[in-house]
Amino acid sequence: MTTKGEQSASAARTLAFTSHFPMPSPMNMKGDIVNNWEFFKQQWDDYEVATGLEGQDKKIRLATLRSVMGKECLQIFLNLKLSEEQRNNVNECITALEAYFKPKRNVVYERYIFNTCRQIEGETVDGYVNRLRKHASTCGFGTLNDELIQDRLVLGINDEGTKLPLLKEDKLTLDKAINLCRSSKIATKQLNVLKQEATKSEGVHVVKQQRPQRERRSTNTTARQPSKPHGSKKTTSRGRPYKCFHCGSSESHKKEACPAYGKECKICKKLNHFASVCMSKGQTRVHAVTQETDDSSGTDSDDDIFQIEELTTIKGKQGKLLVAKLEFKDVDKNYSTILDCQLDTGATCNLITHHDLAVINQNGDPKVSPSRSKLRLFDGSVMEPLGQANITIMKDKKEHCLEFQVVKGNNKPLLSAQTCQQLGLLKITIGNETLQDVHQIQERKTLNKPLTKDELLNTYKDVFKGLGHIGQAKITVNSEAQPVQHAPRRIAITLHQEVKNKLLELEQKSIVVKEMEPTDWISSMVVVAKPGKIRLCLDPKDLNNAVKRPKYQMPTLEEMLPKLNNAKVFSTLDAKDGFYQISLDEESSKLTTFWTPFGRYRYLRMPFGISSAPEEFEAKLHERLGGIDGVEILHDDILVVGYGNTVEDATANHDQNLLNLLNRAREVKLKFNSKKFTLRKKEVKFMGHVLTSDGLKPDPDKIKDVGDMPKPTTKQETQSLLGFVNYLSKFLPKLSEVAKPLRD
């Protein structure tokens, strides 16, 4: 039995060792929370064992755990529903946190993810195997774990040449499969080196074969012009630039010295010419897409016309087209597909075939929305695409949501010039400096000094103009609900002309359309008068009772505030026309049919008043803008924050975060309201509060409103007052005690 002195000495030794042992990193609350928790828990377990902390008093263990878990994790821990006994037990605390960060997994879904896991372009064999092991750990394979990982490795590896020896192996094991993949990779690299050396040797040999022609002596007394040296450029008899029909070079040379002499064409398989100049009918035609616009009206139009022209100048080495392998994600972002994409510097829109779209979305039907765009072919004819679709592309571990025009055919996906620049597939060199894209050029020029509002509104005028489109939503109705058709609601005669003009405006913007066919649901229309204008809203009370809401967890201001530590500069932006930036499918559109004095109309965009609209809008904003540093989203309000120890550092950080947001908004077709754009303030009004570098403050206007409220005389008026005051409860200490007489 140890004495208290021995225990104290042991604790002192442990604490002395602990002080020299690195403490676990705080729990990372961004990204993959499940994996972050597993990493933190492993660090904590190792720390306890290595330092002997697991044998110490529970108070010391608990204090250490709370100290190392991080501020955000600690806030979650303090809000967990635990008894006092559980809160004083380290193991119970760990179990409660694990239940919070690792909700129960759906084994069927996890196995689906495992079975669709393929090697990503550029991913090593070991990296792919580690990813398979990670997915398999949640699938409950038991004793079959290694065997199933082995099968998935054989099926999912990209190198077709490596699959053959794997399939030939009779007694294949996981370790043997990994070793075979590694050796195949090494052998491929060695073979490429040998091929490069052989190519270099061949090139030298060709040069050695070239002999300058001896100049013939002339008996003519007239001074003759010196002959053109070998390799000089010349023209044809018609004055056009000379071009070799065998290799495509503009340098004059003999047939024997042509680089294509003796080479096999990869298109027609014939000798003595490259694929770039092949005249075979089987040659693939390359097209560029350019957009025709007309800004003379000063209004935005959804009727975009794209022109397709034949291109013959975009060639890479050996006459190949510019192609990039990119990772496409399905709608749920669970399944990845690698596709070869053609890069087209003359294109202003992206194209994809319906077949490729179906390949990307193997788990369901491709989501194609109607397109008002037109594709003008190089012969002048116009083709309407099948529709348009928003597709997520992964590049450098970042998500890029891009709009594609969906067409028929079997061509590669075509990426526009702007998309190539956004993805960093095209590089621009200025002097000795290589820039990734055009936006970077703009940023380099502007970030030398603080951005101005006029500068931003001019550079990103497309982001602050027109009607945005951040995706399509579906209004799901309970199948057992009985449709309701309301009778027309009368409106004042004096408002008829204004309502008619508003309907015409909405119809021209393709927000509403006149409905001539019978519909099951018909709602009433509500006219909301505002200074100088009116707003038309639905009154879908009965429809909302039948709507199935998506149950998206809306973030709160309290959840956002801990992230604003060390924030010194703020800007706010407001999504223009809010819900109208979401389109509806035809079935959902029919549900929004409403009465007007001029007949029935239905919404093509998400209307105000639908119960599922806020959640749909919030979810799509987070999906489109997620992952941008210094950007917080609450409803349709967007906050841009600058962090730093000094105002100068915070300003630079803020401006970069703002540019990232505006570039992303341009990418996903999100539009902002220029009139509600507040730039670089030390304090801003946000969600009924005032955000400052010193923390959160109450909005003076709200305080004034409370003071202006009349003295309550009824129970309902008292409840209204308490509800309003409770909004500012965080700034009112002992509010519960003060307001108790009013509640009683």
Side-chain angles (χ1 to χ4, degrees):
M1 186 173 180
T2 58
T3 63
K4 290 185 178 180
E6 292 174 338
Q7 291 178 349
S8 300
S10 176
R13 288 193 298 272
T14 300
L15 291 174
F17 178 72
T18 303
S19 63
H20 295 87
F21 195 86
M23 299 181 70
S25 305
M27 170 68 184
N28 184 8
M29 301 300 293
K30 297 182 179 179
D32 191 339
I33 297 297
V34 175
N35 288 333
N36 294 344
W37 166 254
E38 291 177 348
F39 179 74
F40 173 79
K41 186 175 180 298
Q42 186 61 58
Q43 284 191 107
W44 170 253
D45 292 341
D46 293 342
Y47 182 77
E48 278 205 306
V49 173
T51 61
L53 185 63
E54 60 182 352
Q56 295 300 310
D57 184 75
K58 64 179 182 181
K59 290 184 178 180
I60 296 177
R61 294 180 65 195
L62 282 169
T64 307
L65 176 63
R66 289 194 294 265
S67 299
V68 302
M69 67 174 55
K71 183 178 179 180
E72 293 181 65
C73 184
L74 179 60
Q75 288 180 332
I76 291 173
F77 170 72
L78 295 175
N79 290 321
L80 292 177
K81 294 181 179 180
L82 299 175
S83 65
E84 194 65 28
E85 184 180 353
Q86 290 175 318
R87 222 171 262 282
N88 292 326
N89 188 308
V90 175
N91 296 331
E92 291 287 348
C93 294
I94 293 291
T95 302
L97 287 170
E98 180 139 352
Y100 179 87
F101 291 119
K102 293 179 63 177
K104 188 176 180 181
R105 295 178 182 265
N106 188 320
V107 177
V108 176
Y109 178 76
E110 295 297 326
R111 290 178 179 178
Y112 163 76
I113 297 296
F114 174 82
N115 291 323
T116 55
C117 183
R118 297 183 61 84
Q119 187 182 22
I120 301 173
E121 184 67 25
E123 186 178 33
T124 64
V125 174
D126 292 301
Y128 181 42
V129 172
N130 289 334
R131 196 155 53 90
L132 288 175
R133 292 187 187 277
K134 175 184 172 183
H135 289 312
S137 64
T138 59
C139 294
F141 290 144
T143 56
L144 297 175
N145 193 72
D146 284 0
E147 189 174 345
L148 291 173
I149 292 176
Q150 164 202 307
D151 294 347
R152 192 63 236 163
L153 173 62
V154 175
L155 296 173
I157 197 166
N158 286 338
D159 190 358
E160 297 294 331
T162 306
K163 287 185 180 181
L164 186 59
L166 293 173
L167 294 172
K168 286 184 177 180
E169 188 67 33
D170 290 333
K171 298 180 180 179
L172 188 65
T173 63
L174 178 57
D175 291 338
K176 188 179 289 186
I178 295 173
N179 290 330
L180 283 172
C181 291
R182 289 170 178 168
S183 58
S184 177
K185 189 70 174 178
I186 295 172
T188 302
K189 289 183 179 180
Q190 293 172 343
L191 182 62
N192 290 334
V193 173
L194 294 175
K195 286 182 177 179
Q196 290 176 1
E197 293 297 325
T199 303
K200 290 179 182 178
S201 301
E202 183 180 357
V204 172
H205 180 67
V206 171
V207 173
K208 288 181 178 180
Q209 286 183 341
Q210 299 176 359
R211 295 288 186 270
Q213 295 182 355
R214 293 183 177 180
E215 186 177 339
R216 295 181 179 180
R217 293 184 179 181
S218 175
T219 57
N220 194 340
T221 56
T222 306
R224 65 180 293 184
Q225 297 294 329
S227 61
K228 293 184 179 180
H230 176 73
S232 63
K233 295 183 179 179
K234 65 178 185 179
T235 60
T236 64
S237 59
R238 296 185 179 183
R240 297 176 180 175
Y242 170 85
K243 184 177 181 180
C244 178
F245 291 102
H246 303 282
C247 67
S249 173
S250 59
E251 301 291 335
S252 174
H253 50 252
K254 290 207 175 270
K255 178 181 178 181
E256 294 77 15
C258 182
Y261 186 75
K263 301 296 192 300
E264 180 182 294
C265 175
K266 294 185 178 181
I267 295 178
C268 66
K269 306 301 181 183
K270 295 181 181 179
L271 297 178
N272 301 330
H273 68 271
F274 288 146
S276 60
V277 295
C278 182
M279 302 300 291
S280 172
K281 293 182 179 179
Q283 184 177 6
T284 305
R285 300 175 73 101
V286 187
H287 297 90
V289 185
T290 57
Q291 185 180 9
E292 295 183 353
T293 58
D294 184 11
D295 297 330
S296 59
S297 63
T299 59
D300 295 306
S301 174
D302 292 333
D303 292 324
D304 297 329
I305 300 179
F306 303 100
Q307 184 171 338
I308 302 178
E309 302 175 352
E310 188 176 7
L311 260 189
T312 59
T313 57
I314 301 182
K315 303 183 180 69
K317 295 181 180 179
Q318 300 178 355
K320 294 182 180 179
L321 302 176
L322 295 177
V323 175
K325 291 184 179 293
L326 294 175
E327 179 187 357
F328 289 77
K329 304 289 288 188
D330 68 334
V331 176
D332 298 326
K333 301 181 182 179
N334 296 320
Y335 185 84
S336 297
T337 303
I338 306 297
L339 295 178
D340 290 332
C341 300
Q342 179 181 329
L343 312 185
D344 193 336
T345 57
T348 58
C349 73
N350 307 313
L351 300 182
I352 193 170
T353 64
H354 193 271
H355 174 267
D356 284 339
L357 188 60
V359 171
I360 296 170
N361 296 278
Q362 295 187 17
N363 194 33
D365 295 331
K367 293 187 177 181
V368 180
S369 57
S371 174
R372 298 178 62 87
S373 301
K374 297 179 181 178
L375 304 178
R376 191 181 301 277
L377 305 180
F378 64 91
D379 60 359
S381 61
V382 175
M383 178 183 70
E384 293 187 1
L386 300 176
Q388 63 185 33
N390 292 321
I391 307 175
T392 300
I393 292 180
M394 297 295 296
K395 183 68 168 61
D396 299 330
K397 299 181 179 180
K398 293 183 179 180
E399 293 184 356
H400 300 269
C401 185
L402 305 173
E403 183 180 273
F404 283 79
Q405 299 296 321
V406 184
V407 297
K408 297 180 180 178
N410 56 359
N411 300 320
K412 295 181 176 69
L414 185 144
L415 303 183
S416 68
Q418 183 178 356
T419 298
C420 293
Q421 293 164 0
Q422 291 173 357
L423 299 180
L425 301 174
L426 296 179
K427 295 182 179 180
I428 301 173
T429 302
I430 300 178
N432 297 323
E433 187 176 12
T434 301
L435 305 179
Q436 292 297 322
D437 52 41
V438 173
H439 298 308
Q440 191 174 346
I441 297 174
Q442 297 172 349
E443 293 170 12
R444 292 290 183 87
K445 291 180 178 180
T446 55
L447 290 183
N448 293 329
K449 58 181 181 179
L451 300 169
T452 65
K453 187 173 181 179
D454 290 340
E455 181 183 4
L456 289 171
L457 293 178
N458 182 58
T459 304
Y460 295 92
K461 57 184 177 182
D462 56 312
V463 179
F464 294 92
K465 178 183 177 183
L467 181 64
H469 185 215
I470 59 174
Q472 187 180 74
K474 181 178 179 62
I475 302 175
T476 305
V477 178
N478 191 335
S479 58
E480 298 179 356
Q482 187 68 29
V484 178
Q485 297 180 346
H486 285 270
R489 185 180 295 177
R490 304 294 180 182
I491 64 172
I493 299 294
T494 54
L495 293 176
H496 272 214
Q497 190 58 44
E498 290 187 68
V499 171
K500 186 177 182 179
N501 294 338
K502 189 65 178 180
L503 286 171
L504 181 61
E505 178 191 337
L506 296 176
E507 197 172 7
Q508 290 174 343
K509 291 182 177 180
S510 297
I511 296 175
V512 301
V513 66
K514 198 154 188 177
E515 180 58 58
M516 305 303 294
E517 297 180 357
T519 56
D520 294 330
W521 293 84
I522 307 178
S523 300
S524 299
M525 179 186 68
V526 179
V527 181
V528 181
K530 291 190 170 185
K533 62 179 182 179
I534 61 171
R535 172 183 283 183
L536 305 184
C537 302
L538 282 184
D539 184 12
K541 180 180 179 181
D542 295 293
L543 177 62
N544 282 336
N545 292 333
V547 169
K548 293 182 177 180
R549 293 171 57 184
K551 302 297 183 183
Y552 180 78
Q553 186 176 357
M554 308 279 278
T556 64
L557 182 63
E558 286 71 22
E559 293 174 342
M560 186 190 73
L561 289 177
K563 303 177 184 178
L564 303 183
N565 187 31
N566 206 29
K568 290 182 172 60
V569 183
F570 308 90
S571 289
T572 58
L573 296 103
D574 180 82
K576 187 179 181 182
D577 295 320
F579 301 158
Y580 287 165
Q581 299 200 44
I582 301 176
S583 62
L584 297 174
D585 61 24
E586 187 171 1
E587 185 180 354
S588 301
S589 177
K590 295 281 188 180
L591 296 174
T592 65
T593 304
F594 62 98
W595 284 111
T596 79
F598 315 101
R600 290 178 299 120
Y601 285 77
R602 60 181 171 91
Y603 279 91
L604 300 175
R605 299 294 181 109
M606 180 69 77
F608 296 87
I610 298 294
S611 59
S612 60
E615 292 164 281
E616 291 281 5
F617 185 70
E618 186 95 13
K620 281 183 168 50
L621 276 185
H622 281 271
E623 180 183 352
R624 300 303 191 264
L625 304 181
I628 305 178
D629 293 336
V631 176
E632 302 296 336
I633 306 165
L634 278 181
H635 309 302
D636 61 345
D637 294 321
I638 299 172
L639 178 70
V640 182
V641 183
Y643 301 98
N645 295 324
T646 64
V647 176
E648 290 76 16
D649 292 342
T651 299
N653 178 256
H654 164 275
D655 288 3
Q656 186 59 65
N657 295 339
L658 180 58
L659 287 174
N660 293 338
L661 171 64
L662 293 174
N663 288 330
R664 179 73 66 82
R666 172 181 282 164
E667 198 176 299
V668 302
K669 293 194 171 182
L670 174 66
K671 306 293 185 179
F672 295 123
N673 191 337
S674 59
K675 296 179 181 179
K676 296 184 178 181
F677 177 26
T678 303
L679 177 64
R680 204 185 302 105
K681 302 294 184 180
K682 292 184 178 180
E683 60 179 43
V684 293
K685 292 184 180 182
F686 190 75
M687 301 301 296
H689 297 78
V690 178
L691 297 177
T692 72
S693 56
D694 299 325
L696 190 68
K697 296 180 180 180
D699 187 349
D701 293 338
K702 299 293 183 184
I703 299 175
K704 184 177 181 301
D705 290 340
V706 174
D708 293 341
M709 290 184 70
K711 184 178 179 181
T713 57
T714 65
K715 180 180 179 180
Q716 186 176 1
E717 291 177 353
T718 304
Q719 290 174 340
S720 298
L721 174 64
L722 288 173
F724 198 93
V725 172
N726 192 60
Y727 185 77
L728 303 170
S729 60
K730 60 177 69 66
F731 309 107
L732 301 172
K734 300 182 179 181
L735 174 62
S736 180
E737 297 178 15
V738 175
K740 188 175 183 301
L742 294 176
R743 294 197 304 272
D744 295 342

